[in-house]
mmCIF file of all heavy atoms in Angstrom:
data_model
loop_
_atom_site.group_PDB
_atom_site.id
_atom_site.type_symbol
_atom_site.label_atom_id
_atom_site.label_comp_id
_atom_site.label_asym_id
_atom_site.label_seq_id
_atom_site.Cartn_x
_atom_site.Cartn_y
_atom_site.Cartn_z
ATOM 1 N N ASP A 4 0.550 6.765 -3.292
ATOM 2 C CA ASP A 4 -0.071 6.902 -4.609
ATOM 3 C C ASP A 4 -1.327 6.043 -4.721
ATOM 4 O O ASP A 4 -2.327 6.464 -5.315
ATOM 5 C CB ASP A 4 0.917 6.518 -5.706
ATOM 6 C CG ASP A 4 1.954 7.603 -5.957
ATOM 7 O OD1 ASP A 4 1.696 8.746 -5.539
ATOM 8 O OD2 ASP A 4 2.996 7.300 -6.545
ATOM 9 N N ASP A 5 -1.292 4.829 -4.154
ATOM 10 C CA ASP A 5 -2.486 3.979 -4.157
ATOM 11 C C ASP A 5 -3.642 4.696 -3.467
ATOM 12 O O ASP A 5 -4.776 4.713 -3.964
ATOM 13 C CB ASP A 5 -2.209 2.659 -3.429
ATOM 14 C CG ASP A 5 -1.226 1.769 -4.166
ATOM 15 O OD1 ASP A 5 -1.097 1.926 -5.396
ATOM 16 O OD2 ASP A 5 -0.598 0.921 -3.509
ATOM 17 N N LEU A 6 -3.351 5.276 -2.311
ATOM 18 C CA LEU A 6 -4.402 5.949 -1.543
ATOM 19 C C LEU A 6 -4.897 7.205 -2.255
ATOM 20 O O LEU A 6 -6.098 7.488 -2.271
ATOM 21 C CB LEU A 6 -3.884 6.301 -0.147
ATOM 22 C CG LEU A 6 -3.615 5.108 0.778
ATOM 23 C CD1 LEU A 6 -2.905 5.562 2.044
ATOM 24 C CD2 LEU A 6 -4.923 4.395 1.140
ATOM 25 N N ARG A 7 -3.965 7.958 -2.852
ATOM 26 C CA ARG A 7 -4.384 9.167 -3.580
ATOM 27 C C ARG A 7 -5.326 8.811 -4.724
ATOM 28 O O ARG A 7 -6.337 9.474 -4.941
ATOM 29 C CB ARG A 7 -3.160 9.913 -4.107
ATOM 30 C CG ARG A 7 -2.371 10.667 -3.059
ATOM 31 C CD ARG A 7 -1.370 11.620 -3.705
ATOM 32 N NE ARG A 7 -0.645 12.376 -2.694
ATOM 33 C CZ ARG A 7 0.530 12.033 -2.201
ATOM 34 N NH1 ARG A 7 1.114 10.920 -2.640
ATOM 35 N NH2 ARG A 7 1.120 12.764 -1.280
ATOM 36 N N VAL A 8 -4.973 7.794 -5.465
ATOM 37 C CA VAL A 8 -5.810 7.386 -6.589
ATOM 38 C C VAL A 8 -7.167 6.909 -6.085
ATOM 39 O O VAL A 8 -8.216 7.261 -6.648
ATOM 40 C CB VAL A 8 -5.119 6.293 -7.424
ATOM 41 C CG1 VAL A 8 -6.085 5.690 -8.435
ATOM 42 C CG2 VAL A 8 -3.893 6.859 -8.123
ATOM 43 N N PHE A 9 -7.174 6.118 -5.030
ATOM 44 C CA PHE A 9 -8.434 5.603 -4.498
ATOM 45 C C PHE A 9 -9.337 6.742 -4.027
ATOM 46 O O PHE A 9 -10.544 6.753 -4.310
ATOM 47 C CB PHE A 9 -8.154 4.636 -3.345
ATOM 48 C CG PHE A 9 -9.390 4.130 -2.667
ATOM 49 C CD1 PHE A 9 -10.244 3.251 -3.310
ATOM 50 C CD2 PHE A 9 -9.723 4.561 -1.391
ATOM 51 C CE1 PHE A 9 -11.404 2.801 -2.698
ATOM 52 C CE2 PHE A 9 -10.870 4.113 -0.765
ATOM 53 C CZ PHE A 9 -11.709 3.231 -1.419
ATOM 54 N N VAL A 10 -8.779 7.707 -3.306
ATOM 55 C CA VAL A 10 -9.565 8.853 -2.836
ATOM 56 C C VAL A 10 -10.130 9.635 -4.025
ATOM 57 O O VAL A 10 -11.281 10.080 -4.006
ATOM 58 C CB VAL A 10 -8.697 9.760 -1.928
ATOM 59 C CG1 VAL A 10 -9.398 11.095 -1.672
ATOM 60 C CG2 VAL A 10 -8.403 9.060 -0.609
ATOM 61 N N ALA A 11 -9.324 9.791 -5.082
ATOM 62 C CA ALA A 11 -9.797 10.498 -6.265
ATOM 63 C C ALA A 11 -10.950 9.754 -6.934
ATOM 64 O O ALA A 11 -11.916 10.354 -7.405
ATOM 65 C CB ALA A 11 -8.639 10.689 -7.253
ATOM 66 N N VAL A 12 -10.872 8.421 -6.963
ATOM 67 C CA VAL A 12 -11.951 7.617 -7.545
ATOM 68 C C VAL A 12 -13.226 7.778 -6.724
ATOM 69 O O VAL A 12 -14.329 7.930 -7.275
ATOM 70 C CB VAL A 12 -11.543 6.141 -7.647
ATOM 71 C CG1 VAL A 12 -12.743 5.276 -8.038
ATOM 72 C CG2 VAL A 12 -10.412 5.959 -8.660
ATOM 73 N N CYS A 13 -13.101 7.767 -5.409
ATOM 74 C CA CYS A 13 -14.281 7.962 -4.552
ATOM 75 C C CYS A 13 -14.882 9.349 -4.773
ATOM 76 O O CYS A 13 -16.105 9.513 -4.755
ATOM 77 C CB CYS A 13 -13.898 7.787 -3.087
ATOM 78 S SG CYS A 13 -13.473 6.097 -2.623
ATOM 79 N N ARG A 14 -14.034 10.346 -4.982
ATOM 80 C CA ARG A 14 -14.513 11.717 -5.184
ATOM 81 C C ARG A 14 -15.252 11.864 -6.505
ATOM 82 O O ARG A 14 -16.303 12.509 -6.576
ATOM 83 C CB ARG A 14 -13.333 12.686 -5.121
ATOM 84 C CG ARG A 14 -13.660 14.123 -5.527
ATOM 85 C CD ARG A 14 -12.497 15.062 -5.234
ATOM 86 N NE ARG A 14 -11.261 14.585 -5.802
ATOM 87 C CZ ARG A 14 -10.872 14.794 -7.052
ATOM 88 N NH1 ARG A 14 -11.669 15.465 -7.887
ATOM 89 N NH2 ARG A 14 -9.716 14.349 -7.503
ATOM 90 N N THR A 15 -14.722 11.262 -7.581
ATOM 91 C CA THR A 15 -15.304 11.446 -8.912
ATOM 92 C C THR A 15 -16.334 10.391 -9.268
ATOM 93 O O THR A 15 -17.208 10.615 -10.108
ATOM 94 C CB THR A 15 -14.209 11.416 -9.983
ATOM 95 O OG1 THR A 15 -13.560 10.133 -9.956
ATOM 96 C CG2 THR A 15 -13.174 12.508 -9.729
ATOM 97 N N GLY A 16 -16.238 9.204 -8.623
ATOM 98 C CA GLY A 16 -17.123 8.103 -8.975
ATOM 99 C C GLY A 16 -16.828 7.512 -10.327
ATOM 100 O O GLY A 16 -17.691 6.861 -10.929
ATOM 101 N N SER A 17 -15.583 7.700 -10.801
ATOM 102 C CA SER A 17 -15.253 7.251 -12.159
ATOM 103 C C SER A 17 -13.776 6.939 -12.275
ATOM 104 O O SER A 17 -12.932 7.790 -11.984
ATOM 105 C CB SER A 17 -15.641 8.333 -13.173
ATOM 106 O OG SER A 17 -15.116 8.044 -14.451
ATOM 107 N N LEU A 18 -13.457 5.715 -12.735
ATOM 108 C CA LEU A 18 -12.068 5.351 -12.997
ATOM 109 C C LEU A 18 -11.521 6.144 -14.185
ATOM 110 O O LEU A 18 -10.372 6.596 -14.184
ATOM 111 C CB LEU A 18 -11.953 3.859 -13.278
ATOM 112 C CG LEU A 18 -12.339 2.905 -12.136
ATOM 113 C CD1 LEU A 18 -12.334 1.467 -12.638
ATOM 114 C CD2 LEU A 18 -11.389 3.041 -10.962
ATOM 115 N N SER A 19 -12.344 6.309 -15.208
ATOM 116 C CA SER A 19 -11.886 7.006 -16.412
ATOM 117 C C SER A 19 -11.628 8.487 -16.135
ATOM 118 O O SER A 19 -10.686 9.070 -16.683
ATOM 119 C CB SER A 19 -12.902 6.845 -17.535
ATOM 120 O OG SER A 19 -14.171 7.363 -17.156
ATOM 121 N N ALA A 20 -12.454 9.105 -15.281
ATOM 122 C CA ALA A 20 -12.246 10.521 -14.957
ATOM 123 C C ALA A 20 -10.912 10.716 -14.242
ATOM 124 O O ALA A 20 -10.181 11.679 -14.508
ATOM 125 C CB ALA A 20 -13.388 11.043 -14.094
ATOM 126 N N VAL A 21 -10.587 9.805 -13.326
ATOM 127 C CA VAL A 21 -9.312 9.899 -12.621
ATOM 128 C C VAL A 21 -8.154 9.657 -13.587
ATOM 129 O O VAL A 21 -7.109 10.318 -13.502
ATOM 130 C CB VAL A 21 -9.268 8.901 -11.447
ATOM 131 C CG1 VAL A 21 -7.893 8.885 -10.793
ATOM 132 C CG2 VAL A 21 -10.339 9.259 -10.423
ATOM 133 N N ALA A 22 -8.326 8.721 -14.505
ATOM 134 C CA ALA A 22 -7.281 8.476 -15.509
ATOM 135 C C ALA A 22 -7.001 9.735 -16.319
ATOM 136 O O ALA A 22 -5.841 10.068 -16.606
ATOM 137 C CB ALA A 22 -7.694 7.328 -16.424
ATOM 138 N N ARG A 23 -8.057 10.477 -16.667
ATOM 139 C CA ARG A 23 -7.860 11.734 -17.407
ATOM 140 C C ARG A 23 -7.145 12.764 -16.544
ATOM 141 O O ARG A 23 -6.265 13.489 -17.023
ATOM 142 C CB ARG A 23 -9.206 12.269 -17.894
ATOM 143 C CG ARG A 23 -9.822 11.462 -19.032
ATOM 144 C CD ARG A 23 -10.980 12.223 -19.655
ATOM 145 N NE ARG A 23 -12.076 12.426 -18.711
ATOM 146 C CZ ARG A 23 -13.066 11.559 -18.528
ATOM 147 N NH1 ARG A 23 -13.100 10.426 -19.218
ATOM 148 N NH2 ARG A 23 -14.033 11.826 -17.668
ATOM 149 N N GLU A 24 -7.527 12.850 -15.261
ATOM 150 C CA GLU A 24 -6.876 13.793 -14.361
ATOM 151 C C GLU A 24 -5.379 13.513 -14.247
ATOM 152 O O GLU A 24 -4.562 14.435 -14.205
ATOM 153 C CB GLU A 24 -7.507 13.716 -12.955
ATOM 154 C CG GLU A 24 -8.858 14.359 -12.818
ATOM 155 C CD GLU A 24 -9.365 14.311 -11.384
ATOM 156 O OE1 GLU A 24 -8.561 13.969 -10.487
ATOM 157 O OE2 GLU A 24 -10.545 14.616 -11.159
ATOM 158 N N LEU A 25 -5.020 12.245 -14.181
ATOM 159 C CA LEU A 25 -3.630 11.852 -13.949
ATOM 160 C C LEU A 25 -2.864 11.597 -15.241
ATOM 161 O O LEU A 25 -1.679 11.244 -15.192
ATOM 162 C CB LEU A 25 -3.598 10.593 -13.080
ATOM 163 C CG LEU A 25 -4.264 10.710 -11.699
ATOM 164 C CD1 LEU A 25 -4.192 9.383 -10.973
ATOM 165 C CD2 LEU A 25 -3.598 11.812 -10.871
#
Side-chain angles (χ1 to χ4, degrees):
D4 284 342
D5 292 336
L6 292 171
R7 285 193 178 95
V8 170
F9 176 70
V10 168
V12 171
C13 291
R14 171 171 52 84
T15 62
S17 169
L18 297 173
S19 59
V21 174
R23 288 193 296 272
E24 285 184 11
L25 301 178

